[in-house]
Each structure stands twice: as C-alpha cells, then as structure tokens.
Amino acid sequence: KAGVTQTPRYLIKTRGQQVTLSCSPISGHRSVSWYQQTPGQGLQFLFEYFSETQRNKGNFPGRFSGRQFSNSRSEMNVSTLELGDSALYLCASSLGQGARETQYFGPGTRLLVL
Amino acid sequence: AQSVTQLGSHVSVSEGALVLLRCNYSSSVPPYLFWYVQYPNQGLQLLLKYTSAATLVKGINGFEAEFKKSETSFHLTKPSAHMSDAAEYFCAVSDQVDDMRFGAGTRLTVKP
C-alpha cells in the first residue's frame, strides 16, 4: 500500500507570493492533518480535515488555509508569504478521527521563502 | 490543555549501550501517547503508541516505552543502540479534546 505522498517536495517562493501544497493520504484514510516544522518552534499543528470538513485548527493566522476533496486528498494554501513561513510542512493521514488513531506522515514539503 | 516535555534535546550513546529518551506529559484526561522517529530529510515514522491496553508498549526496531501514570512519563528505551538509530525522536500526546501535541524532539547520536 502506498504511503502518504506530498507534492512538491521542495519549493522556493518570495515574500508576498502564495503557495499551494498537496497531500495524498494512504488509500482508505479519511483524515488528513497538516503540521509545520521549524527549528525554532518544532512541530506545530495547523489543521485537520475529515470527510471534507475542517475538524480542528491550530493557532495560525488566517493566511493559512486548507481543504479536502471527496477523494480525501488535501491541499494547504498559504497566502502573502512571510520569511517566517519557511519550514517543512508535513501532512499526516489516519483511518479515522479521534485521539487513538495513528497518524502516518508523508516526507514533507520544504518551503523556503526569500 | 495537553503538553509534552522531552528532557534533553541531545543524547549521545555508544553503540551497544542502553538508549533512554525521556518524555513527560500533561493531560487532563487519559492520554494516548506516541513516539515517532525522524531521519534526515524525511517525515515522521511511528515507533510505538500507548492506548491504555498495556503499560509496556513494544515498538519497531527494538524500542519500547513504559507508561507510568504516577510519574506522567512515557520514556523510550532500547537495550542496545545501533548506528542506524541515530535520528531525531519525538514524543507526542493526544487526548479526546485537543489535537496532537509534540515535544521539542531529542536528537540521538550513536558513537562507534
């Protein structure tokens, strides 16, 4: 069974631009979560989608948004990029919702904002 | 609100020595606890998880962790370190209310 895939793997943008990251979950998984990983802040939860609905949201500004499609694939969008948005963005999928569900992570998209 | 504290941002052991990575959690309800490993330029891989079935949890690659409610700890151990264990390790907590929270991570170095 294929794992979680994320595209693109690497991205370079300039301040003020916007970016869209894509995540394809493991087949059959309906929940997708997004995380931002930086050396300074560590791993921080962005949001979670389940059955095309945002179920939970972390403490990030409105410039960060996402969505989930009927096939469970998810996209994350960051508008008006700032230097501080440079990070590894990780997507994780799980079979269902809930605290006991195991999250399986993709390799991440490394975003560099210049 | 739940949180995780990993004691020691860097741990160095010799090959063949015991690995002990410390994790303490805070949760207002019975938690689910996880250990993940991250190799350079890769995502996180689940090592093991605690879901209240048993306090001693065995994971992949010879790792195990023991849930101690009285100490609010979930330390990760491996009897004998291997060079391939060098990586960053993250402890995470999840409960019925909040999203998953990760610790700051512990970078494990294994010396030959």
Side-chain angles (χ1 to χ4, degrees):
Chain A
K1 191 184 261 190
V4 178
T5 58
Q6 292 185 245
T7 56
R9 289 294 310 278
Y10 303 92
L11 206 49
I12 300 176
K13 292 286 188 179
T14 56
R15 278 181 299 173
Q17 286 187 310
Q18 75 160 14
V19 67
T20 299
L21 312 181
S22 180
C23 171
S24 292
I26 292 172
S27 178
H29 284 196
R30 297 170 62 192
S31 177
V32 173
S33 297
W34 289 89
Y35 296 85
Q36 181 195 65
Q37 186 178 24
T38 59
Q41 300 297 320
L43 274 155
Q44 293 185 283
F45 172 75
L46 279 156
F47 27 65
E48 178 192 9
Y49 286 87
F50 181 79
S51 294
E52 302 178 64
T53 302
Q54 187 178 90
R55 299 292 180 167
N56 210 348
K57 190 177 192 303
N59 190 25
F60 277 82
R63 300 185 296 107
F64 292 80
S65 63
R67 59 179 175 168
Q68 187 180 34
F69 301 95
S70 58
N71 61 358
S72 295
R73 190 177 71 86
S74 177
E75 287 182 348
M76 190 192 95
N77 185 274
V78 187
S79 62
T80 320
L81 283 166
E82 300 177 0
L83 295 180
D85 297 333
S86 295
L88 180 66
Y89 290 88
L90 292 165
C91 164
S93 78
S94 58
L95 202 57
Q97 252 193 306
R100 67 178 296 139
E101 293 289 335
T102 298
Q103 296 192 14
Y104 297 88
F105 284 79
T109 293
R110 188 165 296 280
L111 172 65
L112 177 62
V113 182
L114 302 175
Chain B
Q2 57 184 351
S3 65
V4 171
T5 301
Q6 290 185 240
L7 294 172
S9 58
H10 290 87
V11 170
S12 181
V13 301
S14 297
E15 192 173 20
L18 170 72
V19 175
L20 170 61
L21 304 182
R22 300 178 187 275
C23 171
N24 287 89
Y25 70 91
S26 170
S27 177
S28 56
V29 297
Y32 298 102
L33 295 158
F34 304 80
W35 274 101
Y36 284 89
V37 61
Q38 186 177 33
Y39 297 100
N41 299 315
Q42 294 186 28
L44 278 68
Q45 180 184 6
L46 179 71
L47 279 176
L48 49 81
K49 68 175 181 179
Y50 166 76
T51 57
S52 78
T55 56
L56 183 63
V57 183
K58 293 187 184 299
I60 62 171
N61 302 339
F63 285 94
E64 63 181 34
E66 185 173 8
F67 173 71
K68 292 187 176 180
K69 185 178 178 180
S70 61
E71 299 177 8
T72 61
S73 69
F74 191 57
H75 301 331
L76 181 72
T77 61
K78 182 174 180 178
S80 176
H82 192 272
M83 296 297 290
S84 61
D85 294 327
E88 187 147 22
Y89 292 79
F90 293 91
C91 181
V93 62
S94 180
D95 64 26
Q96 303 298 336
V97 179
D98 292 325
D99 49 272
M100 183 175 280
R101 299 290 171 88
F102 286 84
T106 297
R107 185 169 297 281
L108 176 67
T109 302
V110 182
K111 299 174 291 185

